[in-house]
Amino acid sequence: MKRNLIIILLGAGLLGGSLMSCNKNKIITPNDQVTSAQVYSTPAGYKQALAKVYGSFALTGNTGPAGSGDVQGIDEGTSDFFRLFWCAQELPTDEAVIAWGDPGLPDFHAMSWSSSNPILTGLYYRSLYQITLCNDFIRQSSDANLSSRGITGADVTNIHYYVAEARFLRAYQYWVLMDLFGNPPFVTDATAVGSTIPPQTTRAALFTYVESELKAIDGLLVAPLKNEYGRADQAAAWALLARLYLNAGVYTGTPRYTDAVTYAQKVIAAGYTLIPKYDNLMLADNNIGNTEAVLTINYDGAKTQGYGGTTFLKNAQLGGSMPAPLYGTNQKWAGIRVTKNIVNLFPAPQDTSLTYFPNNKNIDTRAEFWTRGQSLDINDVTSFTDGYAVNKFRNVTAAGATGTDLTYSDIDMPLFRLSEMYLIYAEAVLRGGTGGDNGTALTYINNIRTRAYGSAAGNITSAQLTTSFILDERARELYWEGLRRTDLIRYDQFTTANYVWPFKGGVKLGTSVASFRNLYPIPDQDRAVNPNLKQNAGY
């Protein structure tokens, strides 16, 4: 599939020095013999280096799906950013269970993960690795470096845009670390390479940093909808700010709902529109005419081959009686399903023999579940046929053509999309945020539901618009997009007895767990080599 930002793999010169983590055995530099002087000698070289920064979101190394991974100590296919992030955000919630017994995976259902969990360790180091790439790119792009390399005029202007994008991607990864780990090590491009052992920051301080960075680059980024597809613009920064402010009470103890309203509305007013069919959001050609996605991780079956991202999602969701060709693949990994709690959020289909709910009329078409040969109840997490399967990710085009590769995915993964901004606006207004109103919030929610039902049949009234309804609506609209853990924590339902689901806490009917599990532990491997790091409480 055609992509506007072509991924070009570059080598060790991109890093220009030691990595952020002290643990040299966990993260290694790419091993190609390319120096910084060569990479950054021309404007084209800067564009290629920027592609590496973006590419680290979709790729796991320099040689394809396996063989030279960026993050060591973990299977390379598992080391993909979104696969790791998805596992940490979805598997300990009601939105997903996984049949596999790979090291670290069963811990999520049981909510028994430790500071040596390999999935959490891999995510922690993947985020730090991507921050390291951003830091080096920003250092290499200083005005002094550009001048010394003879880069002038419009090329300087373009590279300044690149720098703002790298700062955004760094802020996004620091948000990931803040949300999941709370108190990670912290360095920026201003930290001299190799000069010090990275100090530990606090969650509250990191919130302030991410907020200030996103505001600082607001006027430096390309205007909304004016950048290449898959590259960050002003709306991406606004979307991350809206998400940041919605969760500010968790991160800092001080709610910021008015700010959440403000920045969600800025994205909404920027010109994005819902695509007509929810069923088309996660297809092989979802890059074409996608007016809803604010920022995506771009995948291409021929150019970004790996076993993470949407390749993981579309292959791991397939098993049992599901016909692989329907999903544009020859792979059935028989892994992930959904719990009945999510299924029960949707109206029951009129025809219970259906295997693919969107084929039925007058129901919520977001209920993309495969039922044939699957039981609604889960008795055995390791059995793929226990729990409904999901049809959401399909490596076929809107016209039904198969993607470019039967193993690897062409489906781009949205990090932010318009419907999330509608939901943030509505929740923030209901929680007391000013600058918005309930009538507009209701309109936004009904826009989402009109798309889901194909008519006004699913629209709600103002009396039905509550915060609890919004939480359920977020599950209906955004399931399997990597947000559920964060949502449940914001609603005080992740660890508490306020809400349980099958196998929460490792118990079939679900149980509460200790509240310290609202935050993941700092990995043992990094604490062993960085004496500045203190473990999060409870671990």
Side-chain angles (χ1 to χ4, degrees):
M1 307 299 293
K2 181 179 180 181
R3 293 292 183 267
N4 292 0
L5 183 63
I6 298 174
I7 304 301
I8 299 175
L9 299 179
L10 299 173
L14 279 173
L15 295 176
S18 62
L19 286 151
M20 177 175 170
S21 170
C22 293
N23 191 345
K24 302 295 185 179
N25 294 322
K26 177 51 84 170
I27 305 181
I28 63 171
T29 64
N31 57 16
D32 293 349
Q33 300 303 309
V34 182
T35 68
S36 295
Q38 291 172 300
V39 170
Y40 292 104
S41 62
T42 67
Y46 275 90
K47 182 68 176 289
Q48 292 171 355
L50 181 69
K52 173 63 179 181
V53 175
Y54 277 100
S56 64
F57 277 80
L59 298 165
T60 56
N62 270 9
T63 60
S68 182
D70 297 324
V71 179
Q72 300 298 290
I74 187 173
D75 172 73
E76 184 175 340
T78 307
S79 73
D80 165 84
F81 165 69
F82 198 79
R83 178 171 175 170
L84 293 165
F85 180 70
W86 189 93
C87 288
Q89 287 284 80
E90 297 289 358
L91 291 181
T93 78
D94 54 351
E95 287 193 351
V97 295
I98 193 163
W100 308 335
D102 299 36
L105 287 179
D107 298 346
F108 288 107
H109 302 314
M111 290 187 160
S112 62
W113 51 79
S114 71
S115 50
S116 61
N117 181 283
I119 304 298
L120 295 175
T121 301
L123 175 59
Y124 176 91
Y125 281 117
R126 169 58 66 177
S127 291
L128 296 184
Y129 172 75
Q130 294 183 207
I131 289 168
T132 299
L133 291 179
C134 293
N135 282 340
D136 187 69
F137 183 88
I138 296 165
R139 288 190 196 100
Q140 296 289 348
S141 305
S142 68
D143 287 340
N145 278 333
L146 295 179
S147 177
S148 70
R149 291 161 183 164
I151 298 174
T152 60
D155 292 326
V156 172
T157 299
N158 287 333
I159 292 170
H160 284 168
Y161 284 128
Y162 302 165
V163 170
E165 292 173 50
R167 290 174 67 180
F168 168 82
L169 297 175
R170 180 177 61 185
Y172 175 82
Q173 285 297 343
Y174 270 128
W175 168 76
V176 170
L177 291 170
M178 177 184 63
D179 186 87
L180 279 78
F181 299 98
N183 310 290
F186 179 78
V187 297
T188 70
D189 57 290
T191 306
V193 174
S195 63
T196 184
I197 296 174
Q200 186 172 27
T201 189
T202 66
R203 205 179 204 187
L206 197 48
F207 177 95
T208 299
Y209 170 78
V210 173
E211 177 189 26
S212 63
E213 269 292 276
L214 294 173
K215 289 187 172 182
I217 63 174
D218 189 350
L220 306 178
L221 289 162
V222 174
L225 297 166
K226 300 299 183 182
N227 212 343
E228 291 177 290
Y229 173 80
R231 286 174 56 188
D233 59 18
Q234 284 180 308
W238 300 338
L240 182 52
L241 278 166
R243 190 184 291 175
L244 184 76
Y245 288 132
L246 184 67
N247 294 286
V250 173
Y251 300 148
T252 71
T254 303
R256 299 281 295 275
Y257 296 120
T258 294
D259 291 317
V261 170
T262 297
Y263 280 92
Q265 184 59 37
K266 284 171 75 72
V267 179
I268 293 166
Y272 297 92
T273 57
L274 298 179
I275 68 170
K277 291 182 64 178
Y278 184 87
D279 203 34
N280 290 353
L281 275 169
M282 305 296 179
L283 295 183
D285 60 348
N286 64 348
N287 61 306
I288 299 174
N290 193 336
T291 59
E292 182 168 347
V294 177
L295 182 64
T296 57
I297 301 176
N298 293 357
Y299 296 97
D300 186 297
K303 298 176 182 176
T304 57
Q305 295 186 349
Y307 298 108
T310 56
T311 291
F312 162 72
L313 289 173
K314 62 97 173 173
N315 290 338
Q317 72 177 4
L318 299 180
S321 66
M322 302 172 78
L326 180 66
Y327 303 90
T329 185
N330 57 10
Q331 306 286 308
K332 292 173 66 172
W333 294 358
I336 48 180
R337 296 94 66 209
V338 70
T339 77
K340 66 180 180 181
N341 289 40
I342 299 302
V343 175
N344 290 339
L345 292 177
F346 295 91
Q350 297 168 358
D351 180 355
T352 57
S353 69
L354 290 172
T355 58
Y356 184 23
F357 284 12
N359 291 332
N360 199 13
K361 295 181 179 179
N362 300 318
I363 68 165
D364 192 329
T365 61
R366 298 171 296 185
E368 300 190 271
F369 306 124
W370 183 272
T371 63
R372 184 192 300 160
Q374 305 291 133
S375 64
L376 177 61
D377 288 310
I378 300 172
N379 293 305
D380 181 359
V381 170
T382 67
S383 172
F384 181 81
T385 55
D386 278 23
Y388 283 176
V390 169
N391 296 277
K392 189 167 182 174
F393 298 87
R394 290 175 290 129
N395 195 39
V396 295
T397 68
T402 301
T404 58
D405 190 278
L406 290 176
T407 298
Y408 307 107
S409 174
D410 287 331
I411 309 163
D412 295 341
M413 186 68 218
L415 294 177
F416 306 95
R417 56 188 181 90
L418 177 63
S419 60
E420 184 196 355
M421 298 300 112
Y422 285 161
L423 289 157
I424 289 176
Y425 178 99
E427 182 180 337
V429 165
L430 291 172
R431 290 184 182 274
T434 61
D437 62 87
N438 285 28
T440 303
L442 181 65
T443 297
Y444 289 158
I445 297 305
N446 281 335
N447 286 347
I448 295 172
R449 294 180 64 80
T450 297
R451 192 254 302 269
Y453 282 80
S455 70
N459 285 13
I460 64 168
T461 66
S462 58
Q464 293 172 293
L465 186 62
T466 63
T467 54
S468 60
F469 179 91
I470 294 296
L471 179 62
D472 290 347
E473 189 68 8
R474 287 182 67 90
R476 286 184 284 262
E477 178 69 17
L478 302 170
Y479 67 95
W480 282 24
E481 295 184 37
L483 297 171
R484 187 60 168 173
R485 170 191 158 275
T486 302
D487 290 345
L488 291 176
I489 290 171
R490 187 173 66 257
Y491 277 79
D492 196 28
Q493 295 184 5
F494 183 59
T495 57
T496 68
N498 295 339
Y499 175 53
V500 296
W501 54 86
F503 290 94
K504 176 180 180 177
V507 175
K508 182 180 177 181
L509 298 180
T511 187
S512 61
V513 299
S515 61
F516 73 82
R517 294 198 181 276
N518 284 325
L519 203 59
Y520 286 124
I522 303 297
D524 286 339
Q525 292 189 3
D526 211 27
R527 290 178 57 243
V529 294
N530 186 344
N532 293 330
L533 300 179
K534 295 181 179 180
Q535 185 57 275
N536 292 330
Y539 294 102

